[in-house]
């Protein structure tokens, strides 16, 4: 028996919501989990692109693979050891670009294995296991649930989460550069401690962001999409980021420009009319720095993970 699931990419942080907010977007990985035909054959992990061609990504394909680790925790949760499994990851989400590709495969592996096992784990358990493997819940929860999700990793390992409806008229334009940035590197430049002033700056903006979404208030959104906890430190890793923010700051219909997750991709939130006004501008700033990028304007994915 085998199960395949389709899991969206996600954009974490959205400016002020470092490690606690994220939104699902319509780029997808497909993860298939099947029990191996021959017992004792161990674990096999296949990485393929969307045309089913083998991919040579620099990720472990043994028991150190994060998908396998997550599935093993699920088996442990039900008091069993993981069976011999074949895991196939069909990759439609660019890796190491701040688009939640690791969360997507962790969630995909868990949901597929949970189906195979007859659904012993509920959503809360799946989220908690996935977060244990990923380290933070802000990509995990939108990958699973779709839409915009707030999440808080609690001291006991559980995750409190709430999904809010993302206003359809707020378009998400994602600029994905041709270079990779490992989340571990992007986290290594963050300070251990921040000032009370900066912490309060972000608390205020998280509060504004939630209310802006609930009331579809784009003026409030513009004020909310600022951050002092991670972007200022990460800017030095992403050439052109500060210039891009400045260049579109006063464009009518643009509500804000933030790092997508840990970067290097960049997210612009805007109305649909202004999209043409900033797409070429950003493309050019990066081209002048010898960086090519793909860009796409989309709405949020509201479905999250689906079994196909
Ligand atoms: N919240 C995480 C970060 C997202 O900014 O490091 C990346 O996985």
């Amino acid at each position: 028996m085998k199960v395949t699931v389709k899991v969206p990419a996600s954009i974490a942080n959205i400016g002020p919501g470092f490690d606690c907010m994220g939104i699902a977007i319509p780029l997808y990985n497909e993860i298939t989990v099947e029990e191996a035909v021959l017992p004792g054959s161990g674990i096999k992990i296949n990485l393929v692109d969307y045309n089913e061609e083998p991919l040579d990504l620099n990720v472990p394909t043994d028991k150190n693979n994060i998908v396998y680790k997550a599935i093993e925790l699920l088996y442990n949760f039900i008091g069993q050891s993981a069976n011999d499994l074949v895991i196939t990851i069909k990759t439609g989400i660019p890796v190491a670009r701040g688009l939640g590709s690791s969360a997507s495969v962790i969630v995909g592996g868990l949901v597929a294995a949970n189906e195979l096992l007859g659904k012993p784990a509920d959503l809360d358990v799946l989220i908690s296991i996935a977060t244990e493997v990923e380290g933070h819940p802000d990509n995990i929860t939108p990958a699973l649930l779709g839409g915009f999700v707030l999440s808080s990793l609690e001291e006991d390992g559980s995750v409190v989460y709430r999904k809010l409806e993302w206003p359809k008229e707020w378009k998400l334009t994602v600029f994905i550069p041709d270079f990779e940035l490992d989340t571990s590197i992007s986290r290594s430049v963050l300070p251990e401690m921040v000032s009370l002033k900066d912490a309060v700056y972000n608390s205020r903006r998280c509060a504004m962001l939630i209310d802006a979404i609930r009331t579809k208030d784009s003026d409030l959104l513009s004020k909310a999409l600022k951050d002092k906890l991670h972007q200022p430190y990460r800017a030095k890793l992403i050439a052109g980021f500060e210039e891009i923010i400045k260049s579109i700051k006063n464009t009518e219909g643009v509500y804000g420009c933030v790092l997508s997750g840990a970067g290097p991709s960049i997210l612009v939130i805007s109305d649909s009319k202004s999209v043409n006004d900033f797409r070429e501008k950003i493309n050019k700033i990066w081209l002048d720095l010898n960086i090519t990028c793909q860009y796409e304007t989309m709405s949020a994915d509201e479905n999250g993970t689906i079994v196909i």
Side-chain angles (χ1 to χ4, degrees), residues 12-13 18-20 134 136 138-139 183 187 190 230 234 261-262:
N13 304 329
F18 179 68
D19 275 2
C20 64
E134 170 88 341
H136 38 87
D138 46 342
N139 290 106
T183 300
R187 287 182 87 85
L190 303 181
H230 67 108
R234 288 170 161 170

Side-chain angles (χ1 to χ4, degrees), residues 29-131:
N29 284 334
E30 282 179 25
I31 296 92
T32 303
V33 179
E34 58 185 309
E35 280 160 1
V37 180
L38 295 175
S41 54
I43 161 189
K44 185 165 190 306
I45 297 179
N46 304 314
L47 299 167
V48 295
D49 66 16
Y50 242 68
N51 300 317
E52 316 264 346
E53 295 295 326
L55 270 181
D56 188 18
L57 292 177
N58 189 21
V59 295
T61 51
D62 56 13
K63 290 190 173 180
N64 292 316
N65 183 280
I66 50 174
V67 182
Y68 181 77
K69 281 188 180 171
I71 293 176
E72 196 174 35
L73 287 174
L74 178 65
Y75 273 83
N76 295 345
F77 168 76
I78 57 168
Q80 292 183 16
S81 319
N83 288 344
D84 301 322
L85 296 171
V86 180
I87 301 167
T88 303
I89 302 171
K90 195 161 138 184
T91 309
I93 304 175
V95 297
R97 300 300 207 291
L99 297 170
S101 66
S102 63
S104 161
V105 295
I106 291 169
V107 164
L110 273 178
V111 172
N114 197 42
E115 290 282 326
L116 270 184
L117 291 166
K119 293 199 186 178
D122 62 16
L123 266 185
D124 289 5
V125 170
L126 293 176
I127 289 174
S128 166
I129 294 176
T131 301

Side-chain angles (χ1 to χ4, degrees), residues 284-304:
K284 181 165 183 327
I285 291 174
W286 262 347
L287 266 185
D288 289 347
L289 294 165
N290 285 327
I291 297 167
T292 55
C293 72
Q294 291 168 253
Y295 48 83
E296 200 175 329
T297 299
M298 34 198 149
S299 301
D301 166 290
E302 289 291 342
N303 300 318

Side-chain angles (χ1 to χ4, degrees), residues 182-191 234 237:
D182 255 25
T183 300
S184 57
I185 294 173
S186 196
R187 287 182 87 85
S188 73
V189 298
L190 303 181
R234 288 170 161 170
L237 301 174

